[in-house]
Amino acid sequence: LLSGRETVGSSNMENDASLEFSQQLFHIGENLVTEDVTALKFLCMDLLQLGRLEGVKSATDIFKLLMAQEYLKAEDTFLLAELLYRIKCHSLLEKLGYTKEKVQKHLHEKGRVSPYRQMLYELSENITNEMLKEITFLLQNRLPKRWVTPSALDLLTLLEKQGLLTKDNVQILESICKTVSPDLLEIIDCYKKAKVLCYNIFSSPETAAKLLKELGVLPSFCPKMHKRKCVLLCSEQEGTPMDGVFLFQPKVGLKYMVLEVLVLFSLKNTFFNSGSYKMDGPHRGFCLIINNVNFNSSQRKGSCKDAEQLERVFTWLGLDVRTYTDLTSGAIINLMQTWQHVQDHKDRNCFICCILSHGKSGAIYGTDYKLVSIRVLTTHFTAKQCPQLAAKPKLFFIQACQGNNIQRPVFVDTDGPTPDSTPVQERVSLLESIPEEADFLLGMATVDGCVSFRHIEEGSWYIQALCSKLQLLVPRGEDILSILTQVNEDVAKRVSPSGTKKQMPQPAYTLRRKFIFPIPMAPPPS
């Protein structure tokens, strides 16, 4: 009799758990719109039979199919969590007991959506309605007559059905993207490189290591990254991490696993992040440093320390650094005109210019105490004025005061002008200092109207913080805006020796994508 009670009790608990799980799925389905259901169907195409997916009308229909194939269970909801993560429904993850970070942490060992499917989905997310019309026109001879393309996912599904698109043949996508939007080629190119990389992990570890460096995925100076680690992957191994670099899943089969391994090399979605500027060219770019130290009646002591540190850090980051010292206003403008016509920009990924001088609102001083508008400097490098840098990121870092002088405490100097001078304007908005077109970033040492500080021996607060954070955070794969946020925090914590003066840097930008420096092969310079 006691045994019978235990059986009944156990059965009731199972029923309760089943009901709770069904309620979870119901609530999740209620929060998914038609576009979400379409995305889920597409991401499940490698897991479920296409014929069954075509009959899907709601999210719960997909859940039932996944449960029937035992991909989704009350005790294992990770696949659904991954799918919600992929379609960016992060708020629904908590209904399954997950967070965005927790899903990311376990993707490398539990992820089931293939890199091929991820690539296609990422591509669809970046195809606008206008692009879709153009693509439909280009493919009109391959599409059914009177066929209306509801979405990019529907078009990709049709191409797969017709056998024109497979995981091993994405040529039709490349051809279309070259015509409609060359930027989309980056997504396809990353997938192809990663696929080649996975093959070479097994057949040619040295080639694999080279591809890793090209993709900028792992720091090659990191102790965990050795070419010999590639050799350690074989089909007989257990699913254990190799020093945190590789992980193997024998149960899913070699053919599928080769694709799945790609996820392991993703730092902040390196392979599939079309939201980042292309930074994998043979040459990173030029970095100009203008260091105005000697003025008629004063010296900007400590500025040479800044210039030396900038040169070391940007050289480490792969840039071709050129330093110019003590330039007049006319010489600064002439220098910008010279570099705006340099043809070698076309083979570079970006352009960086650092200016260390005195300044006023929206302008910097030449050594002749004449002001040069920051906007005048930056507009030399617009797409119209410098077509070689079109669609490429242009970064300007300005260490200069943007307001009136203040009394200088011991060991702290301000980057404002010593003599009286007639300002070209009272105040200039920071956004007015950068061109209206895209792909510019202006990092200012201070907000408009305020002074910036420079230690006469150790250099300026802003430049030293910038160099320090670049060395710390670039190896972690952080983008430039995240790095500048850390710079803001660092400088904001500093205080002058008198304990009364502080400083807050300010960035302004028209960047369209994330700007991420590839991780250098050498360790940071300091």
Side-chain angles (χ1 to χ4, degrees), residues 345-480:
H345 286 313
K346 68 178 182 296
D347 299 322
R348 266 68 179 177
N349 298 137
C350 66
F351 174 76
I352 296 177
C353 180
C354 306
I355 300 178
L356 317 173
S357 189
H358 289 309
K360 277 261 187 171
S361 180
I364 54 100
Y365 279 96
T367 53
D368 54 356
Y369 284 114
K370 291 183 179 178
L371 285 166
V372 181
S373 164
I374 294 172
R375 184 176 179 84
V376 168
L377 300 179
T378 56
T379 49
H380 281 85
F381 300 96
T382 60
K384 184 177 180 180
Q385 298 297 325
C386 184
Q388 294 83 6
L389 285 173
K392 298 178 183 179
K394 280 82 63 175
L395 280 58
F396 289 77
F397 297 103
I398 311 292
Q399 168 54 44
C401 281
Q402 290 296 286
N404 297 328
N405 292 335
I406 63 170
Q407 186 176 357
R408 298 166 185 159
V410 179
F411 288 115
V412 175
D413 202 359
T414 65
D415 273 331
T418 300
D420 291 334
S421 57
T422 304
V424 292
Q425 52 202 0
E426 286 300 315
R427 293 285 289 275
V428 176
S429 166
L430 184 58
L431 289 174
E432 293 177 9
S433 294
I434 57 176
E436 293 177 0
E437 69 170 61
D439 308 310
F440 278 85
L441 179 141
L442 177 61
M444 299 295 297
T446 185
V447 295
D448 189 48
C450 296
V451 298
S452 61
F453 294 102
R454 171 176 33 83
H455 193 288
I456 62 175
E457 294 174 356
E458 297 175 4
S460 65
W461 293 0
Y462 177 64
I463 296 299
Q464 292 303 310
L466 175 64
C467 292
S468 174
K469 295 303 180 184
L470 284 171
Q471 293 177 86
L472 176 66
L473 300 176
V474 165
R476 299 181 186 177
E478 296 285 351
D479 69 283
I480 192 64

Side-chain angles (χ1 to χ4, degrees), residues 162-226:
Q162 294 178 335
L164 298 172
L165 178 61
T166 69
K167 68 179 185 300
D168 297 316
N169 182 12
V170 293
Q171 189 174 354
I172 191 168
L173 289 183
E174 292 177 295
S175 177
I176 292 169
C177 292
K178 281 179 184 176
T179 304
V180 175
S181 178
D183 284 349
L184 296 177
L185 285 171
E186 292 180 28
I187 302 173
I188 303 170
D189 189 50
C190 282
Y191 167 73
K192 290 176 66 178
K193 282 185 178 179
K195 197 163 179 289
V196 172
L197 168 63
C198 266
Y199 171 78
N200 280 291
I201 285 174
F202 299 96
S203 61
S204 177
E206 290 193 2
T207 303
K210 182 180 178 182
L211 280 168
L212 281 172
K213 289 181 182 179
E214 286 181 7
L215 290 167
V217 178
L218 289 171
S220 37
F221 62 82
C222 175
K224 293 182 180 179
M225 178 57 193
H226 296 289

Side-chain angles (χ1 to χ4, degrees), residues 10-11 52 62 112 135 138 148 180 215 245 254 281 416 435 444 509:
S10 175
S11 176
R52 293 190 176 185
I62 297 178
R112 298 304 297 267
I135 294 171
L138 291 172
V148 180
V180 175
L215 290 167
V245 179
L254 179 61
M444 299 295 297
Y509 59 93

